[in-house]
Amino acid sequence: MVTTNDKLVEGYWNITPELKAIDFPSNDSLRVELVDGRVITLPLERFPSIRQLSQEQRQQWYRYGNGFSFDDSDEVIHIEQILGNYLYYRHEA
């Protein structure tokens, strides 16, 4: 929490998001779990490089910096692609 005008403001403030795990609850969605407890579910239509992988290939993922990739893919998905805010979450300064 942060304090503004002596009032506590709830939420996630000054926390750098860090990838904990990913999984696929359905054939059309990606679930990303962050270390701070947030869980984000996204449609795979936004990630065609993942969508084209089979369920078996999707299970062969690994961390790459603060993102992830797959054994059978050249694409690296970074945290800013998940959170949608390049200026705050870009993987390179």
Side-chain angles (χ1 to χ4, degrees):
M1 287 194 234
V2 297
T3 304
T4 305
N5 298 330
D6 296 327
K7 181 179 177 185
L8 289 177
V9 181
E10 298 175 354
Y12 290 88
W13 299 95
N14 303 317
I15 296 174
T16 301
E18 185 179 340
L19 178 70
K20 180 176 181 180
I22 67 167
D23 66 16
F24 300 90
S26 74
N27 199 39
D28 295 328
S29 64
L30 162 65
R31 181 180 173 272
V32 177
E33 183 178 350
L34 302 180
V35 171
D36 62 27
R38 287 180 282 179
V39 177
I40 303 150
T41 303
L42 306 126
L44 277 183
E45 69 185 29
R46 302 299 293 221
F47 301 91
S49 63
I50 300 173
R51 192 174 188 181
Q52 71 181 1
L53 298 173
S54 69
Q55 283 289 0
E56 294 79 24
Q57 290 172 311
R58 292 176 190 171
Q59 299 310 311
Q60 304 304 313
W61 70 276
Y62 59 91
R63 290 176 203 229
Y64 189 91
N66 199 17
F68 60 92
S69 190
F70 301 87
D71 289 345
D72 293 327
S73 176
D74 294 332
E75 184 74 26
V76 176
I77 307 298
H78 298 281
I79 198 73
E80 66 268 16
Q81 291 168 269
I82 301 298
L83 298 176
N85 192 330
Y86 178 78
L87 293 177
Y88 291 123
Y89 305 121
R90 65 181 178 254
H91 60 280
E92 296 178 14

